[in-house]
Amino acid sequence: MLNLYPPIEFASAEEITALQEQKLRTLLQYLQEHSPYYRRLFSEHQIRIDEIRTVADLVKIPVTSKTDLQQYNMDFFCVPQNRIVDYSTTSGTLGDPVTFGLSDADLERLSYNEAVSFACAGIKPGDLVQAMTTIDKRFMAGLAYFLGLRKMGAGIIRMGPGIPELQWDSILRYQPKYLITVPSFLLKMIEYAERQGIDYRNSSVRAAVCIGESLRNQDFTPSPLARKIGEKWNLKLYSTYASTEMSTAFTECEHQQGGHLHPELIITEILDDNLNPVAPGESGELVITTLGVEALPLLRFRTGDIVRAHHAPCACGRNTLRLGPVLGRKQQMIKYKGTTLYPPAFNDLLSIYPGISVHQIVIQSNEIGMDEIIVKISCDDESELFTKEVRDHFRAKLRVTPEIRICPKEQLMKDVFRETGRKPVYFVDLRKQNY
């Protein structure tokens, strides 16, 4: 029977490290035998895997980037095609998506990850959960949520994204306790409920597991988006962080002090710009090594996400590392008139700004190679006074004044919510990247 609260997460730091290092040695042997890409990497860099015994020894191995994944995609596969039972894709740095194949064992691992992650967020067997994310279009997350909820014995309402009317119909009809959603969509749910006279505050919903947008500041206080939702609807909001490449999630517990690591599934490193470990408490790029993945395991993979690790024991009793909110993506860092910025800071302001119905941030290089920021918005008030108000708000909060462009709502909605996409496109980077 599945233990939703794995003992290793409550074990000592020494026991956690010992488990990870044993699993690391097993992974290295597996890669040497089955991965064309890593076998070549070990040979080219004269790496003897028997000399990699500890997590600290990982620095002897070069990192893997998303560009490597895209250029040599098939060389990362460790099993033949006839053992792949599911295909997922994630965006690539060179345009085409990167293909991930999952074996039957990988799907089992994925469901285990989500089950213990949902349990961390308080979901229990028998709870009813409404999943408001896509499960098709080769999107791993939606499938993972379904598998994890099924494995832990929770009920699932597969609604998919969007359409507040249908979401509320389902909530009122089936009475779910939890939602899985992009948090900004909760504001649209609230807006619809208020227009239609739905008593949403007294609905069955008590909490939401949220993806894709930040709910916390770096000190774990609620983000502007979380505060705005909380002012309207007293939901418990849980943040979770994951990616297709990791096949693993970092999910908050009830104390909401960062997403908990599952040490049996993944090894994390936080590295600086020179790919050296950062000092404790410093932010850097998250680099991950997957454990227990059969079809496409990754060794020292650069996620591109800038995060801070927290090592102190949590009040929930877990002694695992916790990841703080993502500051931004390394390749999306913006240098604007001496100020370093990341897209989430813009989204935090725009997603809650009164009168703005939809937005998109565009970054491009000017004729001298400097970053330019264009903020496209759709709003009811198209006056210069309102535009100035938005600019002033940016200046007050972020110390920068981007160009504001008012766009027709219908067109901007098509640009953000693309028919072929799986997630809203709030950020468009037109610069040439060297990552």
Side-chain angles (χ1 to χ4, degrees):
M1 184 175 179
L2 174 64
N3 186 347
L4 293 173
Y5 309 95
I8 189 61
E9 299 188 4
F10 300 87
S12 67
E14 292 76 17
E15 290 173 301
I16 290 172
T17 298
L19 173 74
Q20 291 209 308
E21 292 180 344
Q22 177 266 315
K23 286 183 171 286
L24 172 61
R25 292 190 288 271
T26 300
L27 169 67
L28 290 170
Q29 187 64 44
Y30 182 78
L31 293 175
Q32 179 70 55
E33 294 175 3
H34 299 285
S35 171
Y37 177 83
Y38 285 111
R39 189 162 52 240
R40 186 167 65 244
L41 181 79
F42 297 156
S43 175
E44 289 175 354
H45 293 272
Q46 299 181 335
I47 295 167
R48 292 187 53 177
I49 61 171
D50 59 331
E51 295 178 351
I52 311 297
R53 308 295 297 171
T54 69
V55 172
D57 290 336
L58 281 171
V59 296
K60 300 175 183 177
I61 302 174
V63 296
T64 297
S65 71
K66 204 162 198 177
T67 300
D68 295 325
L69 260 178
Q70 193 156 27
Q71 288 180 331
Y72 308 106
N73 201 171
M74 292 301 107
D75 286 351
F76 281 87
F77 279 76
C78 294
V79 299
Q81 185 176 1
N82 62 9
R83 291 190 53 203
I84 301 298
V85 298
D86 183 80
Y87 284 93
S88 297
T89 52
T90 185
S91 57
T93 58
L94 303 178
D96 291 332
V98 175
T99 297
F100 277 79
L102 290 88
S103 67
D104 192 64
D106 291 335
L107 287 180
E108 185 63 28
R109 178 190 177 280
L110 191 63
S111 64
Y112 167 82
N113 163 76
E114 292 299 335
V116 296
S117 296
F118 285 137
C120 189
I123 300 178
K124 294 179 171 56
D127 285 341
L128 186 57
V129 182
Q130 183 155 315
M132 299 159 59
T133 57
T134 188
I135 196 172
D136 54 7
K137 299 180 181 178
R138 303 195 301 263
F139 189 41
M140 182 184 285
L143 175 63
Y145 303 147
F146 175 84
L147 292 174
L149 291 168
R150 179 179 180 272
K151 189 172 187 67
M152 74 181 302
I156 315 153
I157 307 169
R158 293 180 293 106
M159 280 303 300
I163 317 179
E165 180 180 3
L166 290 180
Q167 302 290 352
W168 275 116
D169 175 79
S170 181
I171 291 170
L172 298 174
R173 187 183 301 272
Y174 301 114
Q175 304 288 297
K177 184 177 180 181
Y178 283 84
L179 305 177
I180 302 174
T181 184
V182 175
S184 59
F185 186 69
L186 291 172
L187 295 176
K188 299 186 184 303
M189 294 278 292
I190 292 168
E191 181 183 331
Y192 179 86
E194 289 178 339
R195 287 201 313 267
Q196 299 298 319
I198 297 171
D199 185 10
Y200 60 91
R201 293 186 182 92
N202 290 312
S203 72
S204 62
V205 180
R206 294 291 175 266
V209 176
C210 296
I211 64 169
E213 296 168 341
S214 178
L215 293 173
R216 310 277 171 251
N217 299 314
Q218 289 300 307
D219 61 358
F220 299 119
T221 56
S223 69
L225 175 58
R227 287 201 305 273
K228 184 168 184 180
I229 294 168
E231 288 166 2
K232 289 280 192 176
W233 197 358
N234 187 28
L235 293 179
K236 188 83 169 177
L237 302 176
Y238 291 93
S239 183
T240 185
Y241 163 70
S243 71
T244 299
E245 295 90 348
M246 294 191 295
S247 293
T248 311
F250 295 78
T251 304
E252 289 181 330
C253 68
E254 67 270 23
H255 298 284
Q256 302 184 320
Q257 296 292 299
H260 280 279
L261 169 83
H262 301 311
E264 67 275 44
L265 299 181
I266 197 165
I267 293 172
T268 60
E269 302 172 77
I270 312 293
L271 306 183
D272 63 20
D273 290 342
N274 297 315
L275 299 179
N276 295 316
V278 300
E282 294 294 317
S283 60
E285 182 178 3
L286 176 67
V287 173
I288 58 95
T289 295
T290 57
L291 302 173
V293 173
E294 186 176 48
L296 207 156
L298 292 173
L299 177 65
R300 302 202 78 208
F301 175 74
R302 298 180 65 179
T303 66
D305 291 329
I306 306 300
V307 299
R308 183 177 294 125
H310 299 264
H311 296 274
C314 183
C316 71
R318 292 175 177 85
N319 293 316
T320 51
L321 171 149
R322 290 167 287 118
L323 289 184
V326 175
L327 281 164
R329 289 192 60 78
K330 186 177 181 66
Q331 68 191 97
Q332 293 179 349
M333 184 180 73
I334 305 162
K335 294 291 288 188
Y336 188 70
K337 298 182 179 179
T339 301
T340 299
L341 300 163
Y342 291 97
F346 290 80
N347 285 326
D348 283 348
L349 292 182
L350 292 164
S351 63
I352 65 169
Y353 199 88
I356 295 179
S357 56
V358 63
H359 70 272
Q360 187 178 71
I361 304 142
V362 179
I363 309 298
Q364 60 188 27
S365 299
N366 62 19
E367 64 276 3
I368 59 173
M370 304 298 289
D371 291 349
E372 286 188 337
I373 306 171
I374 301 168
V375 175
K376 298 180 179 182
I377 61 173
S378 173
C379 50
D380 296 330
D381 184 353
E382 298 186 359
S383 67
E384 177 58 33
L385 184 63
F386 182 77
T387 303
K388 180 180 182 301
E389 181 184 304
V390 176
R391 282 198 301 266
D392 290 345
H393 190 63
F394 271 98
R395 186 183 300 114
K397 296 296 184 181
L398 299 180
R399 305 193 310 274
V400 300
T401 309
E403 178 184 345
I404 307 295
R405 290 184 187 173
I406 295 177
C407 303
K409 183 175 181 178
E410 184 177 347
Q411 182 57 53
L412 193 53
M413 288 285 285
K414 288 181 179 179
D415 292 342
V416 173
F417 301 98
R418 298 174 183 175
E419 289 185 6
T420 58
R422 302 178 302 201
K423 303 175 186 177
V425 182
Y426 290 117
F427 179 74
V428 177
D429 194 344
L430 300 179
R431 302 169 297 177
K432 291 184 179 180
Q433 296 291 340
N434 296 307
Y435 178 70

